[in-house]
Amino acid sequence: DSSTIDFVSVTGEYGIDVTINTAGREVIIAGTAIQGNVTNAINALINAQGGFAIQNSSIIAGVKSTLSITSTPGYGAELVIIDSQFTDQNTTAGSYPYSISGMDYIEVVNNAFKFGNRVSGVNGLSISNAKYLVFRGNEVIGYSTGLSINNCGSAYLYNNYFVNVPNPVSYSNVSLMYAVRNIGWTPVVSTPSLPSPGAQVTNTYPVPVTVCLYGGSVSQVVVTKNGQSITAFQASTPQPINGECFTLNPGDSIAITYIQPPNWAWVPAV
């Protein structure tokens, strides 16, 4: 707490190396400046239901890894990073100097992640195998890929700012991805093919979409939200639908019963 750690000359692999083996233990770095010549600035391994936190700190270090946090999914490990600034010194193209894996609960709020060398296509943060992720109010500046999310239960991205990042966000195998009000990243939404009558189509995009229907011969539209089905349109006899629009949040689905297929369009609602 309230320290300055300057690695003038470090021969080992890590600057700060943390291992938590006992449930309920936690390590907090607060109000601290970390800088200097080191291969890996902060390395943490959490082997139990423990916690690791960084707050109100400045980390300028790490020619290989600035931040590496690992655990095993299901341990219940928690990571909180808030109100801090990180500047990496990595020069290896395609690498991720910020790596977080296996933490069940992750909150990354109001931080800045900056590329310090600007000589190669270094990526920003890699987050994988998390149960729950909140990434909110962060600045991500100068990376090739700003944020990579893989194999996560749910991820919520709000009010982030991506600057000079060609590929702001990439994600795969995320059960629920919800992203709104992120400057510098607009997810592409394409209108899917209309399914067969009564078949559900789920919004797998990370943003809410507005689904607009018109024409055709339609008898029913059912929207399912949080497992609850709602009849949003009902006609005793099939008829053309006249510009009806329905909002689907990520994970919501829609099913249309028709004799003649209507036209439809999906438009991002953010």
Side-chain angles (χ1 to χ4, degrees):
D1 190 6
S2 302
S3 303
T4 297
I5 304 175
D6 193 352
F7 298 109
V8 178
S9 179
V10 177
T11 58
E13 184 74 10
Y14 304 110
I16 297 174
D17 192 17
V18 173
T19 302
I20 297 176
N21 289 323
T22 302
R25 302 293 174 86
E26 60 184 14
V27 172
I28 300 173
I29 298 172
T32 295
I34 299 173
Q35 59 192 16
N37 180 22
V38 62
T39 302
N40 300 286
I42 299 175
N43 180 73
L45 174 62
I46 302 177
N47 292 323
Q49 187 178 1
F52 189 82
I54 302 172
Q55 62 185 41
N56 299 314
S57 295
S58 174
I59 291 87
I60 307 174
V63 295
K64 182 178 179 182
S65 171
T66 305
L67 183 67
S68 178
I69 312 292
T70 57
S71 185
T72 299
Y75 279 0
E78 182 176 0
L79 172 66
V80 176
I81 304 175
I82 186 168
D83 293 332
S84 296
Q85 180 168 303
F86 298 83
T87 304
D88 75 278
Q89 301 297 323
N90 195 308
T91 60
T92 304
S95 63
Y96 285 91
Y98 310 99
S99 176
I100 301 168
S101 177
M103 305 292 291
D104 280 350
Y105 305 97
I106 302 171
E107 293 185 54
V108 182
V109 179
N110 295 340
N111 304 285
F113 298 90
K114 299 181 179 181
F115 181 30
N117 277 294
R118 300 188 180 279
V119 295
S120 61
V122 175
N123 298 313
L125 295 91
S126 173
I127 300 176
S128 60
N129 300 311
K131 181 178 180 180
Y132 179 82
L133 166 66
V134 173
F135 193 84
R136 175 173 60 83
N138 300 287
E139 287 184 321
V140 181
I141 303 172
Y143 295 97
S144 180
T145 295
L147 173 63
S148 175
I149 305 173
N150 297 288
N151 301 317
C152 290
S154 57
Y156 301 88
L157 279 64
Y158 295 88
N159 302 328
N160 299 292
Y161 186 28
F162 297 91
V163 185
N164 297 326
V165 182
N167 182 25
V169 179
S170 68
Y171 61 96
S172 63
N173 297 322
V174 180
S175 298
L176 178 62
M177 180 85 164
Y178 200 117
V180 294
R181 300 186 300 276
N182 294 291
I183 298 174
W185 180 48
T186 303
V188 176
V189 173
S190 300
T191 300
S193 300
L194 189 73
S196 58
Q200 285 188 331
V201 175
T202 300
N203 176 19
T204 58
Y205 293 108
V207 294
V209 296
T210 299
V211 179
C212 296
L213 299 170
Y214 51 97
S217 181
V218 178
S219 59
Q220 188 181 64
V221 176
V222 175
V223 174
T224 301
K225 293 178 173 289
N226 298 319
Q228 181 179 2
S229 296
I230 304 165
T231 300
F233 174 85
Q234 183 77 52
S236 56
T237 58
Q239 58 185 269
I241 194 165
N242 186 22
E244 297 285 346
C245 293
F246 311 91
T247 298
L248 300 182
N249 289 322
D252 293 350
S253 62
I254 187 170
I256 306 164
T257 302
Y258 59 86
I259 301 299
Q260 296 295 327
N263 296 302
W264 73 349
W266 287 38
V267 182
V270 295

